[in-house]
Amino acid sequence: MRETYQYSLDRAMTHPHDDNAALDKAARGCNTPAKTKKEETMTINRRDLALSTLAVSALALTTPVLAASSDEDAVAKKVEAFRLAQIAADPKALGALCWDDLSYSHSSGKVEDKATFITNATDGKSKFLSIEYKDPTIKVVGPAAIVRFHWLGEQEMAADGKKVSTNLHILMNWQKQGDEWKLLSRAATKL
């Protein structure tokens, strides 16, 4: 190998205008046009690579935030639809918002499945005059959403017209399958 290099060096000195001479000068650290051009190209490529890496990293960090934000918005819409369906005592709307395996727990400790909940919520024995979900929080964790809020409600009993106020803390668990969020469980605590 040394002999080959020596041969090229000797040849470059004896033939200064030979094409191989510029390569030998570049190999020895001389600033030839070929070497300068190569360094500029490498600098641009490294800069482009650094910027591309930075952009991809930034995108990777913001995409989950954007996804979570859109999921939180979707859950918030479902929670509001559920509130309106409760006030309207709409069995079809409530059924569409709940999983078949729903576990609906009242502040009294009574637990209902989906069919029982919908029947009791729409039987006409009472009518909601108002339901307010105050200070809601939504936390999306993968395909689940944890929703908490302060419930203030007022019902009127059909039998005697008596008005009953409720002041509760509510915990809802919503689950996503495909693009749909549905209520999986609900628990209430009296305040």
Side-chain angles (χ1 to χ4, degrees), residues 90-157:
D90 183 343
K92 187 175 179 181
L94 289 170
L97 290 164
C98 298
W99 280 100
D100 290 338
D101 294 328
L102 175 69
S103 176
Y104 194 93
S105 176
H106 294 271
S107 61
S108 65
K110 180 180 170 184
V111 179
E112 299 171 329
D113 64 9
K114 180 179 178 177
T116 306
F117 160 66
I118 292 172
T119 298
N120 290 339
T122 61
D123 64 6
K125 292 182 182 177
S126 67
K127 175 184 176 184
F128 278 108
L129 302 175
S130 67
I131 299 175
E132 184 181 356
Y133 290 0
K134 289 183 69 176
D135 305 318
T137 62
I138 299 171
K139 182 176 182 181
V140 174
V141 182
I146 301 165
V147 179
R148 296 178 187 270
F149 55 87
H150 182 182
W151 158 303
L152 294 172
E154 186 175 28
Q155 286 177 277
E156 182 178 48
M157 299 300 147

Side-chain angles (χ1 to χ4, degrees), residues 5-18 20-22 24-25 28:
Y5 178 72
Q6 189 62 39
Y7 170 78
S8 297
L9 186 58
D10 291 341
R11 187 169 177 214
M13 291 186 161
T14 57
H15 302 288
H17 301 290
D18 193 349
N20 289 329
D24 287 340
K25 287 180 183 176
R28 289 192 318 253

